[in-house]
Amino acid sequence: MTVFSLQATPTDAATWLDLARRAESAGYAALLAADHPGVVTSPFVALAAAASVTSTIGLGSYVSNLGVREPLLLATDVATLDLVSGGRARLGVGAGHTPAEWRAVGRERPDVAGRVRRCVAVAEAVRALLDGAEVTVDSPELTVREARLTAPRPVQERIPLTMGTANSTLLRWAGAHADVVGLTGFGRTLADGHRHDARWRADQIEAQLACVAAGAAGRDDPPALEALVQRVVVTDDAEAAAAAHARDVGLTVAELLATPFVLVGTVDEIVAAVAGHERRWGVTRFVVRRDALEPLAPVLARLASPGPPAAGADA
């Protein structure tokens, strides 16, 4: 089953609560809040507010920077959200690519290997705390002594964990341990500390999925695969709409439209593309940004009540 989640952040109370209601009504599986301390609102406070006006939609960070988050504090936020939402919390995590966020908490961003080690250490500690274990870690990347999440305890037996990454080591870890692998398609972080090169070519996606598969070897239930969609356009002329973006990321229009990181075309074409991404890549989950809420409404409606394929659609 294909599911969509909506990533957004509040700008004021009324529109945020309205967005939560609309996302739930439209059929989104989860409302996800970005986590960039000092730049956007606290995701867990915002999501707790959204919980008060919804009843079924999942609620989670996307993604929490484990470079600057401490395990017990993060686990407490997640467990509290699970409690006040009646068991709807999700946790998305990542290694943290923005240098300013590290400096703001008194740390210099380490090299890629150091960020990966810190990410794995914190993810494992948070997972253990949410599961009720006592945690002690003494490593260059993380120090935790006899930490335990006594209260609040989560409502869910296991809070779903998403690892968002394109790093090969983290993809293998996610294959082995995560509930969802969030495929970002991110390459090298650019000078602004926020944007990235794109790893969206077919061979690059295949290499990322091979890492996930290697990590998942031996699992009875491998993780779900999720794509972070960077552009959604409902249009009768997909090639024209995609041309500028294709140039920006160094792909042909055909290559861009074949990736799961953009959804461009008519409703029929997007529905067909989503089905194609599942067949080709195994991707069954998509995260889209706030501006996609209304344009994708007919797509979600079609996916919820699929009829016969439209003429010319990829059956």
Side-chain angles (χ1 to χ4, degrees):
M1 177 182 177
T2 300
V3 299
F4 278 77
S5 296
L6 187 74
Q7 185 197 45
T9 193
T11 54
D12 63 77
T15 56
W16 174 248
L17 299 181
D18 179 62
L19 179 72
R21 295 186 190 97
R22 290 165 60 203
E24 182 172 78
S25 177
Y28 284 89
L31 176 62
L32 306 173
D35 189 4
H36 294 289
V39 179
V40 299
T41 54
S42 165
F44 298 103
V45 175
L47 293 165
S52 70
V53 297
T54 58
S55 59
T56 60
I57 196 169
L59 302 161
S61 60
Y62 204 87
V63 292
S64 289
N65 177 352
L66 298 192
V68 304
R69 294 292 188 184
E70 293 300 323
L72 185 57
L73 301 180
L74 181 56
T76 301
D77 282 342
V78 176
T80 302
L81 176 61
D82 205 49
L83 179 71
V84 301
S85 68
R88 291 185 280 142
R90 310 286 185 267
L91 174 59
V93 300
H97 58 263
T98 307
E101 292 177 10
W102 291 77
R103 288 195 296 271
V105 297
R107 301 172 184 151
E108 284 302 316
R109 188 187 71 165
D111 61 11
V112 172
R115 295 200 300 276
V116 167
R117 289 192 299 269
R118 165 82 185 188
C119 183
V120 169
V122 176
E124 290 179 345
V126 172
R127 176 82 278 156
L129 289 165
L130 291 171
D131 289 345
E134 182 176 285
V135 175
T136 294
V137 181
D138 189 1
S139 71
E141 290 74 37
L142 178 67
T143 301
V144 177
R145 295 188 176 92
E146 298 177 354
R148 183 181 289 275
L149 184 62
T150 303
R153 295 301 308 150
V155 173
Q156 298 175 85
E157 182 177 349
R158 179 181 173 89
I159 291 178
L161 174 68
T162 298
M163 174 65 78
T165 189
N167 175 271
S168 57
T169 300
L170 290 179
L171 287 168
R172 286 190 290 270
W173 185 92
H177 301 286
D179 300 287
V180 179
V181 179
L183 301 169
T184 63
F186 290 167
R188 177 178 58 90
T189 303
L190 300 180
D192 64 4
H194 294 278
R195 294 177 302 124
H196 303 264
D197 286 336
R199 293 180 179 168
W200 292 359
R201 294 197 318 267
D203 62 324
Q204 293 171 322
I205 297 172
E206 288 167 358
Q208 292 167 47
L209 295 179
C211 291
V212 177
R219 280 185 65 167
D220 292 334
D221 297 309
L225 300 177
E226 182 172 80
L228 176 58
V229 178
Q230 298 294 338
R231 184 172 175 81
V232 173
V233 183
V234 178
T235 174
D236 291 332
D237 192 345
E239 293 191 358
H245 198 177
R247 287 194 299 272
D248 289 344
V249 297
L251 300 177
T252 68
V253 170
E255 287 173 330
L256 181 72
L257 294 176
T259 77
F261 303 111
V262 300
L263 294 172
V264 179
T266 64
V267 170
D268 285 344
E269 288 169 340
I270 292 175
V271 169
V274 165
H277 296 325
E278 180 174 3
R279 287 193 303 272
R280 183 174 187 182
W281 313 115
V283 173
T284 58
R285 304 168 65 97
F286 298 85
V287 175
V288 298
R289 303 287 170 56
R290 184 179 192 147
D291 59 4
L293 175 64
E294 292 181 358
L296 279 182
V299 173
L300 268 64
R302 279 277 302 278
L303 292 171
S305 303
D314 182 10

